[in-house]
């Protein structure tokens, strides 16, 4: 409704401006025509001065509906035609124009126009004689020296001075011009009113039809708010304003629906994570409580039993501590872990880590394969050692602690490639991505005695992503078991801090830290 009112107001203003402009232009044109008419008559009268006497000249000029006043050089004046007051009241009737009988001839000394005294007649005869045929032989017309124009209410007066001293005053009525402009105003006003009436109906129909898609948008939005998340507008044309709005609206709904689905999925993952974490913590806590309760009831009478129970308490407490530490690490990865990057030659670093892990995993046969030259990269050696340790722990659990693990270091263009493979049973193809989910352990390795809580691989991938790299399960290993491939950029992504200084790395994507 506001659009219709605004359009109609705009049309009304434009029509009013058009009426005013037409009246102003036409009025100026009509006044210019009257002025041109007076100047033409004055120029024609000047040409006839000396050819015709003043009486005949005044008769000819007044016959055209003009008020005429001719003042001769000797002061005698002749008036003819309607008076200016009569012209103000309206245009004269051509059949009732005054003739010579109402013409007044004024001598220089007369005080009242219209006098018919003998002296006036004599003066007229004398004046006529002065402009008679004898004078015509002396002069044959005059020219206008100066003229002035005055626009009064309803009349236009032109005063001209000739070069022989004659003064001619011509007055024309402009009341007909005003009446014409008034009639034109009424006609244009009526036409404008009719046009606005038609425009009202047309604009209402057009605007309602044009804005009908907005009603569909409103209905769709209300339907979606009521729970119909899958409803869409799907405009047939997207090259119009409404079509582009509808397409953008559909895109926004798709994004909102996707975000809502992701939020629901994330909430479900968090709930599952909390449930699994509570389940994982319950086992060592229950073991500690049982051992402690047995110790309290036995009172320490049997030293052998007491030692076994104490060792059990220590192991269960260590398992709970590792689980809590892994959960804290995952939380730090979600927030954006701080890496202490520094240029590192990974060849001696890998040899040192293999030696250290060999002492911790004596039943695993580690086979390092490193290049002869240096492999330098801008990494956090401690966090990278955590990744390698988690991968080797996973290999040790899959092989039962007595298998063979091969560790290969190499380069591929601008990346460092670290491959860890074992001779265990391997991971099924359908589970090779699921093992990176939090607290996920395959059915064959869910034995709590293995010590794994299903956080080692997610933590390893999170640290790799924090370095700007990737960690995936590769193709089938040469040893027949699992094969994990770690890729890291040789130059750190964050170069705005000095080498060795802690650099905050942004939060890793959910697909990496949560496990896709």
């Amino acid at each position: 409704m506001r659009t219709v009112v605004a359009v109609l107001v705009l049309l009304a203003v434009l029509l009013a401006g058009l009426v005013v402009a037409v009246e102003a232009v036409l009025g100026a044109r009509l006044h210019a025509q009257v002025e041109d008419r007076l100047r033409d008559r004055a120029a024609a009268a000047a040409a006839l001065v000396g050819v015709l006497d003043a009486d005949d000249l005044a008769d000819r000029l007044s016959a055209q509906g003009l008020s005429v006043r001719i003042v001769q050089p000797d002061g005698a004046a002749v008036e003819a035609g309607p008076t200016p007051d009569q012209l103000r009241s309206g245009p004269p009737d051509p059949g009732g124009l005054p003739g010579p009988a109402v013409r007044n001839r004024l001598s220089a000394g007369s005080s009242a126009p219209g006098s018919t005294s003998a002296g006036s007649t004599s003066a007229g005869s004398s004046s006529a004689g002065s402009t008679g045929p004898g004078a015509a032989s002396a002069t044959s017309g005059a020219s206008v020296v100066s003229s002035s124009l005055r626009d009064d209410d309803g009349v236009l007066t032109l005063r001209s001075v000739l070069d022989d001293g004659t003064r001619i005053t011509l007055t024309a009525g402009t009341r007909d011009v005003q009446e014409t402009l008034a009639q034109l105003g009424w006609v244009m006003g009526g036409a404008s009113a009719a046009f606005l009436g038609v425009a009202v109906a047309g604009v209402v129909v057009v605007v309602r039809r044009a804005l009908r898609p907005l009603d569909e948008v409103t209905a769709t939005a209300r339907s979606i708010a009521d729970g119909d998340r899958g409803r869409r507008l799907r405009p047939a044309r997207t090259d119009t304003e409404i079509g582009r709005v509808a397409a953008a609206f559909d895109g926004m709904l798709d994004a909102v629906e996707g975000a809502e689905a992701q939020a629901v999925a994330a909430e479900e993952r968090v709930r599952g994570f909390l449930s699994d974490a509570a389940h994982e913590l319950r086992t060592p806590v229950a073991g500690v409580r049982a051992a402690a309760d047995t110790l309290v009831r036995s009172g320490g009478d049997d030293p052998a039993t007491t030692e076994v129970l104490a060792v059990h308490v220590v192991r269960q407490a260590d398992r709970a501590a590792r689980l809590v530490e892994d959960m804290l690490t995952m939380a730090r990865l979600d927030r954006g872990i701080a890496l202490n990057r520094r240029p590192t030659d990974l060849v001696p670093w890998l040899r040192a880590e293999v030696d250290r892990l060999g002492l911790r995993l004596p039943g695993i046969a580690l086979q390092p394969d490193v290049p002869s030259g240096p492999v330098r990269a801008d990494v956090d050696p401690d966090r990278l050692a955590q990744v390698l340790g988690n991968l080797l722990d996973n290999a040790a659990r899959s092989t039962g602690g007595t298998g063979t693990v091969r560790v290969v270091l190499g380069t591929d263009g601008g990346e460092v490639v670290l491959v860890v493979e074992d001779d265990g049973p391997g991971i099924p193809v359908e589970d090779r991505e699921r093992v990176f989910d939090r607290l996920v352990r395959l059915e064959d390795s869910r034995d709590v005695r293995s010590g794994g809580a299903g956080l080692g691989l997610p933590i390893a991938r999170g640290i790799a992503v924090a370095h700007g790299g990737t960690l995936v399960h590769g193709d089938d290993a040469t040893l027949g078991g699992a094969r994990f491939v770690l890729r890291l950029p040789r130059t750190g992504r964050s170069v705005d801090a000095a080498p060795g200084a802690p650099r905050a790395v942004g939060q890793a994507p959910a697909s990496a830290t949560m496990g896709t």
Side-chain angles (χ1 to χ4, degrees):
M1 186 62 184
R2 292 181 179 178
T3 303
V4 175
V5 172
V7 171
L8 293 179
V9 170
L10 178 61
L11 287 177
V13 172
L14 292 177
L15 288 174
L18 178 62
V19 171
V20 172
V22 169
E23 289 187 350
V25 173
L26 185 58
R29 181 61 179 169
L30 293 176
H31 278 80
Q33 290 179 355
V34 175
E35 179 181 348
D36 292 342
R37 177 189 171 196
L38 291 178
R39 294 187 183 277
D40 291 343
R41 298 300 179 270
L48 294 175
V49 170
V51 178
L52 298 177
D53 58 13
D55 296 334
D56 294 337
L57 183 56
D59 285 340
R60 291 191 180 188
L61 294 175
S62 63
Q64 300 175 9
L66 303 177
S67 176
V68 183
R69 177 182 175 84
I70 300 176
V71 180
Q72 297 177 346
D74 58 359
V78 176
E79 293 182 354
T83 63
D85 292 335
Q86 292 174 341
L87 292 176
R88 285 191 181 94
S89 61
D93 184 6
L97 288 175
V102 298
R103 182 176 64 252
N104 298 319
R105 181 173 177 81
L106 305 178
S107 63
S110 61
S111 59
S115 174
T116 58
S117 62
S120 296
T121 303
S122 175
S125 300
S126 175
S127 176
S130 64
T131 59
S137 62
T139 60
S140 58
S143 60
V144 178
V145 176
S146 62
S147 61
S148 61
L149 189 68
R150 186 181 68 181
D151 189 1
D152 202 354
D153 183 21
V155 295
L156 191 62
T157 303
L158 178 65
R159 293 185 173 88
S160 301
V161 179
L162 308 184
D163 55 1
D164 64 349
T166 303
R167 297 190 300 274
I168 300 176
T169 302
L170 301 179
T171 303
T174 58
R175 184 65 61 184
D176 55 345
V177 174
Q178 297 175 356
E179 292 178 355
T180 300
L181 294 177
Q183 292 176 359
L184 178 63
W186 282 106
V187 170
M188 294 192 67
S192 300
F195 175 78
L196 284 177
V198 175
V200 168
V203 169
V204 169
V205 173
V206 172
V207 169
R208 286 184 177 178
R209 184 173 181 179
L211 298 182
R212 188 177 302 167
L214 291 181
D215 295 335
E216 297 180 5
V217 173
T218 302
T220 302
R222 290 176 178 174
S223 177
I224 292 172
D226 293 336
D228 188 6
R229 297 291 192 269
R231 186 173 178 182
R232 297 294 183 270
L233 292 172
R234 295 182 177 87
R237 297 182 58 184
T238 58
D239 56 346
T240 62
E241 289 80 1
I242 301 297
R244 288 192 290 270
V245 170
F249 186 77
D250 286 348
M252 180 193 67
L253 292 178
D254 292 339
V256 170
E257 188 176 11
E260 183 181 12
Q262 292 178 2
V264 172
E267 184 178 1
E268 292 178 354
R269 288 195 299 269
V270 170
R271 290 179 178 178
F273 176 76
L274 292 177
S275 177
D276 292 341
H279 175 75
E280 294 292 339
L281 285 173
R282 183 175 59 183
T283 300
V285 171
V288 170
R289 289 183 59 184
D293 183 63
T294 303
L295 284 174
V296 170
R297 284 189 284 105
S298 66
D301 297 336
D302 187 357
T305 303
T306 301
E307 183 180 359
V308 171
L309 292 174
V311 171
H312 181 71
V313 168
V314 171
R315 288 178 177 176
Q316 294 299 326
D318 182 64
R319 180 183 176 192
R322 289 200 308 270
L323 180 59
V324 171
E325 181 63 27
D326 289 343
M327 294 175 65
L328 290 176
T329 302
M330 291 300 302
R332 294 189 188 99
L333 290 173
D334 289 341
R335 292 193 304 267
I337 192 170
L339 299 179
N340 187 15
R341 291 178 180 270
R342 56 181 179 270
T344 303
D345 186 357
L346 297 181
V347 173
W349 168 85
L350 181 60
R351 288 174 177 158
E353 290 297 323
V354 168
D355 293 341
R356 182 180 65 82
L357 292 172
L359 296 176
R360 186 164 64 85
L361 303 171
I364 298 297
L366 296 177
Q367 298 178 356
D369 185 357
V370 296
S372 58
V375 177
R376 298 185 179 277
D378 189 12
V379 297
D380 185 339
D382 296 334
R383 290 296 182 183
L384 195 58
Q386 186 177 1
V387 174
L388 180 60
N390 288 352
L391 293 177
L392 291 181
D393 287 340
N394 182 78
R397 283 192 295 270
S398 64
T399 59
T402 59
T404 301
V405 179
R406 185 182 179 199
V407 182
V408 181
L409 177 65
T411 60
D412 184 10
E415 292 181 329
V416 174
V417 181
L418 179 64
V419 179
V420 178
E421 54 183 350
D422 59 62
D423 59 352
I427 300 175
V429 177
E430 62 273 10
D431 293 328
R432 289 180 178 178
E433 188 63 30
R434 194 169 66 89
V435 294
F436 291 101
D437 292 342
R438 300 181 183 187
L439 298 175
V440 170
R441 292 181 300 184
L442 301 183
E443 296 298 329
D444 294 339
S445 61
R446 291 194 66 85
D447 185 0
V448 297
R449 290 175 299 178
S450 66
L455 291 176
L457 291 179
I459 290 175
R461 171 175 275 187
I463 295 175
V465 172
H467 277 84
T470 59
L471 176 62
V472 297
H473 189 288
D475 297 333
D476 293 337
T478 57
L479 298 180
R483 182 174 184 266
F484 293 94
V485 180
L486 172 66
R487 291 179 176 271
L488 299 175
R490 303 187 68 172
T491 302
R493 299 288 176 86
S494 300
V495 294
D496 54 343
R503 298 173 183 178
V505 179
Q507 179 176 347
S511 61
T513 59
M514 295 295 294
T516 58

